[in-house]
Amino acid sequence: MSVVLIFLAGVAAIVIWWMSGQRLMSKPWLEVGTLDDIHRPAKEPIPTAKIGLGIFLAVVGALFSLLVSAYLARMSGADWWAIPIPRLLWANTAVLIASCAALQWTVVQARRGGADDSVRLGLDAALATAVLFLAGQIVAWLQLVAAGYVLADNPANSFFYMLTGLHGLHILGGLAVLARTRVRLLAGTSMAPARLRLGIELCATYWHFMLVVWLLLFALFTGWANDFVDLCRQLVS
């Protein structure tokens, strides 16, 4: 329950920050300006696609927070045996970080109006590392199954496969959108249009979010999050 409360508090903080940036909480009748302010260009509104992505990520974050809360609550059961974490997951984590770094570099190149070759290179690197991450996750699953840690053996196994599988499905969905953006670039001009830059920015935002989710899951699986959860429970209680 504490994890859900912390997540909701984070979402509320992000919403308040966004509203302040959009001047939705301002009082225009109290503001003072000059005639020159009328001729100044208005601040561009946030694209609808970004708002939609933010809402979607909030829903996805709520889903993972509920599952993590169930994971933590189920750990106290007598039939719970911790599952060993394959070493391959460390390499997979590094690969996902590299994929996010490649996308962020692509965003910078697109905003600067860099050459199409630079944007293509960044997208290709992000795509390749994302596919490598999914392949590594599947191999980690196969290693655990070969070692006898099957899905229905104990609740820890079930939660591990469910959480990593759900995260992998979200990565797969993002991979499809990223591939679509890459195809659009092939059909574009030498200078990436505004719509293409927006698509790259949305992909990068989604990728960064999924990286944060994976890092939290990885910390949970390795036991690093236990002390933090105990602290959160003490603060809530």
Side-chain angles (χ1 to χ4, degrees), residues 87-211:
R87 295 182 178 179
L88 182 59
L89 291 186
W90 291 90
N92 294 346
T93 302
V95 169
L96 187 58
I97 293 174
S99 184
C100 288
L103 259 182
Q104 186 59 38
W105 181 80
T106 307
V107 169
V108 174
Q109 293 299 315
R111 287 176 178 174
R112 292 178 177 176
D116 287 348
D117 291 341
S118 300
V119 178
R120 291 192 188 98
L121 178 61
L123 290 177
D124 290 342
L127 281 167
T129 48
V131 172
L132 185 59
F133 171 80
L134 289 177
Q137 295 292 83
I138 294 175
V139 172
W141 274 18
L142 296 177
Q143 290 178 349
L144 289 174
V145 172
Y149 296 94
V150 296
L151 180 65
D153 191 26
N154 83 84
N157 297 359
S158 301
F159 270 99
F160 177 84
Y161 289 121
M162 177 181 63
L163 289 172
T164 55
L166 185 61
H167 180 267
L169 286 176
H170 282 86
I171 291 291
L172 184 61
L175 190 61
V177 177
L178 188 60
R180 183 183 177 185
T181 303
R182 179 65 175 88
V183 172
R184 285 181 177 179
L185 181 60
L186 288 175
T189 58
S190 58
M191 181 70 69
R195 185 176 180 182
L196 181 60
R197 290 197 299 269
L198 177 60
I200 296 174
E201 291 175 0
L202 293 177
C203 290
T205 301
Y206 182 84
W207 236 240
H208 296 336
F209 180 86
M210 296 313 301
L211 173 61

Side-chain angles (χ1 to χ4, degrees), residues 41-92:
K43 182 179 180 181
E44 295 184 0
I46 296 180
T48 305
K50 285 189 176 182
I51 298 176
L53 178 62
I55 296 174
F56 175 74
L57 294 182
V59 174
V60 173
L63 173 62
F64 275 103
S65 65
L66 290 173
L67 292 176
V68 169
S69 296
Y71 179 96
L72 296 173
R74 194 64 180 83
M75 286 179 63
S76 59
D79 58 343
W80 183 277
W81 294 282
I83 185 173
I85 302 302
R87 295 182 178 179
L88 182 59
L89 291 186
W90 291 90
N92 294 346

